[in-house]
Amino acid sequence: MGLVGALSLTTVAVADEQKPPYQASERAHELAQKHLIIDTHIDVPYRLKKDWEDVTVATERGDFDYPRAKAGGLNVPFMSIYIPANLEQTPGASYQLAHELIDSMEALAWRAPDKFAIAYSVDDVMTQYEKGLISIAMGMENGSPIEGDLDNLTTFYNRGIRYITLAHSESNHIADSSYDIRKQWNGLSPFGKELVTAMNNIGVMVDISHVSDEAFWQALEVTNVPVIASHSSLRQYTPGFERNMSDEMIKGLAENGGVIMINFGSSFVTQQANRYNAMIAKQAEKIREELGADSEEAKARIATLRASNPYPYATLEQVLNHIDHVVKLVGIDYVGIGSDYDGVGDSLPVGLKDVSTYPNLIQGLLDRGYNEAEIEKILYQNLIRVWRAAENYAANH
């Protein structure tokens, strides 16, 4: 679940009006259906908790359902077991919600066994792919349900959790958050360091999306297994946005053998989108101060402000720039897809609006000269390599 962070108020023509709709070629669609596509961050569980729909059939809302996933070639959505940061303050609340969200994914697979199956391993993914099933893998976004007890790690591993994002929008008992100015641990907590080792030993991938820079570097020091950034983009294009990764961090990730899965949310992709909300909020606050917070005139002025400054959606090309930058910086083996579908609200780029649009991404890669073997690495092989490494290390510890 991405925080759609700060935003930039320079009036910008909406990207939809600048370009015609993207048209993926027959070749791009063929590659999408031919090869596995793994997306390491899709927020269906929390979406359905808030607004239930039957995603085994076409839905009116959201970014994911079975027909769109099949059309886009998506084989392995890592469903995010997203835990709001504030639940850490209530003992047992994070743990309870995590189990409820896992239950919902098990129920989804149970209701449609001809469409979905839970994937507990890479071998499960491969077997289910041969059967034409979409594999539901699960990652826990925010480690607060561990609640300081390594037995809970075992419990969630047994239920199918295959990565844990150490923190989310606030620091927790494991790690500092990139969004939280209170760096209470200056990185990982003592328990957080124990947890990383325990995750290595049991076969749960360490996800460093959302954590502070210090926590990232400390996680690399502690881990014996490659880590992932399940849904992060590049600070190169969003200066000052700590939630994204710097070039030095990407180099460190590559040296570790890990992989950054690119987040599609516009506020992760472009500086203008990243700053837009904060600038709109600042202008709106001035209007409220001048005209009265609840006055009709203030409401009308704010509505005009928003209408005259439309959200500056990122484009497919700008998402591709992030992939290109990683490849040029450290090589083709360290980048993948972590879209944050259903997690970033109405901030998805033009051309990548839902899970049916992976062929557009493939078309963009083809247009930029990537060959089929390189595209395979981005679509699934890089993540499979890290997942296998986690499995193999755990099998020997």
Side-chain angles (χ1 to χ4, degrees):
M1 179 84 52
L3 280 183
V4 182
L7 305 163
S8 138
L9 188 60
T10 311
T11 301
V12 176
V14 181
D16 302 74
E17 298 170 357
Q18 296 174 343
K19 291 184 61 64
Y22 289 93
Q23 293 292 334
S25 65
E26 187 175 324
R27 174 67 170 154
H29 283 284
E30 175 191 311
L31 292 177
Q33 297 300 325
K34 176 181 178 182
H35 297 300
L36 274 168
I37 296 178
I38 298 178
D39 188 325
T40 50
H41 201 84
I42 296 182
D43 275 290
V44 167
Y46 201 74
R47 163 193 162 194
L48 299 186
K49 177 177 173 58
K50 292 171 28 179
D51 181 20
W52 192 87
E53 293 182 288
D54 183 1
V55 294
T56 68
V57 297
T59 59
E60 294 182 3
R61 300 182 292 279
D63 307 327
F64 173 97
D65 57 41
Y66 179 79
R68 284 183 283 174
K70 290 297 282 187
L74 177 62
N75 306 104
V76 189
F78 267 79
M79 296 301 191
S80 172
I81 304 304
Y82 163 66
I83 308 299
N86 63 350
L87 293 186
E88 171 114 347
Q89 309 308 315
T90 305
S94 295
Y95 182 84
Q96 174 72 20
L97 177 59
H99 281 295
E100 290 175 3
L101 296 181
I102 295 169
D103 285 348
S104 75
M105 291 299 95
E106 291 178 342
L108 177 60
W110 179 82
R111 289 204 325 274
D114 57 329
K115 297 176 179 177
F116 297 106
I118 303 293
Y120 299 94
S121 66
V122 174
D123 287 347
D124 283 349
V125 165
M126 298 306 179
T127 300
Q128 288 157 194
Y129 174 64
E130 292 299 322
K131 294 178 179 178
L133 298 173
I134 290 178
S135 288
I136 296 174
M138 289 182 284
M140 179 181 286
E141 185 178 18
N142 187 358
S144 66
I146 301 301
E147 296 193 335
D149 186 345
L150 294 179
D151 286 345
N152 289 339
L153 173 65
T154 302
T155 296
F156 287 118
Y157 174 83
N158 289 337
R159 295 215 61 193
I161 294 297
R162 289 301 176 266
Y163 75 70
I164 295 175
T165 316
L166 300 180
H168 190 250
S169 58
E170 297 175 10
S171 299
N172 61 13
H173 70 284
I174 296 165
D176 290 334
S177 165
S178 62
Y179 287 115
D180 197 335
I181 61 172
R182 304 164 300 164
K183 306 299 187 191
Q184 61 176 313
W185 305 113
N186 293 314
L188 298 179
S189 71
F191 176 76
K193 293 174 182 177
E194 288 181 42
L195 179 63
V196 168
T197 298
M199 289 167 67
N200 288 173
N201 291 342
I202 201 171
V204 174
M205 290 178 282
V206 176
D207 177 20
I208 54 75
S209 287
H210 280 286
V211 303
S212 68
D213 288 12
E214 295 82 0
F216 164 79
W217 290 112
Q218 289 172 25
L220 289 194
E221 289 174 9
V222 174
T223 187
N224 293 300
V225 177
V227 305
I228 66 170
S230 69
H231 59 307
S232 293
S233 298
L234 310 188
R235 215 173 289 174
Q236 169 77 12
Y237 300 101
T238 57
F241 185 42
E242 190 179 345
R243 170 66 179 80
N244 276 346
M245 296 184 70
S246 70
D247 283 4
E248 287 306 307
M249 294 168 76
I250 294 164
K251 289 176 183 177
L253 186 75
E255 289 174 9
N256 160 264
V259 60
I260 176 172
M261 314 300 283
I262 298 299
N263 190 315
F264 294 173
S266 291
S267 67
F268 292 82
V269 174
T270 69
Q271 186 174 24
Q272 287 176 323
N274 186 262
R275 294 181 174 178
Y276 175 88
N277 278 339
M279 295 300 291
I280 285 284
K282 186 176 180 181
Q283 295 290 332
E285 185 57 32
K286 287 182 180 178
I287 292 170
R288 293 187 187 97
E289 289 175 1
E290 178 186 342
L291 300 174
D294 298 319
S295 74
E296 292 304 315
E297 187 178 358
K299 292 175 184 176
R301 284 269 295 275
I302 291 169
T304 300
L305 171 71
R306 292 186 179 280
S308 59
N309 293 278
Y311 187 83
Y313 291 102
T315 63
L316 170 60
E317 282 81 5
Q318 289 169 318
V319 174
L320 291 167
N321 289 344
H322 286 251
I323 294 174
D324 278 353
H325 188 79
V326 176
V327 173
K328 290 171 185 174
L329 189 67
V330 295
I332 192 69
D333 297 317
Y334 308 104
V335 64
I337 300 168
S339 64
D340 216 345
Y341 282 134
D342 278 325
V344 289
D346 180 28
S347 77
L348 289 160
V350 180
L352 292 171
K353 291 296 188 183
D354 63 30
V355 294
S356 71
T357 60
Y358 298 107
N360 291 346
L361 185 75
I362 294 170
Q363 183 64 54
L365 293 169
L366 290 169
D367 291 345
R368 293 192 179 204
Y370 288 85
N371 62 40
E372 184 172 351
E374 291 169 332
I375 291 171
E376 277 189 86
K377 288 190 173 188
I378 294 167
L379 296 182
Y380 74 97
Q381 287 180 346
N382 292 338
L383 191 280
I384 288 289
R385 172 181 57 78
V386 175
W387 193 354
R388 285 272 194 211
E391 290 180 338
N392 292 338
Y393 183 88
N396 292 297
H397 288 80

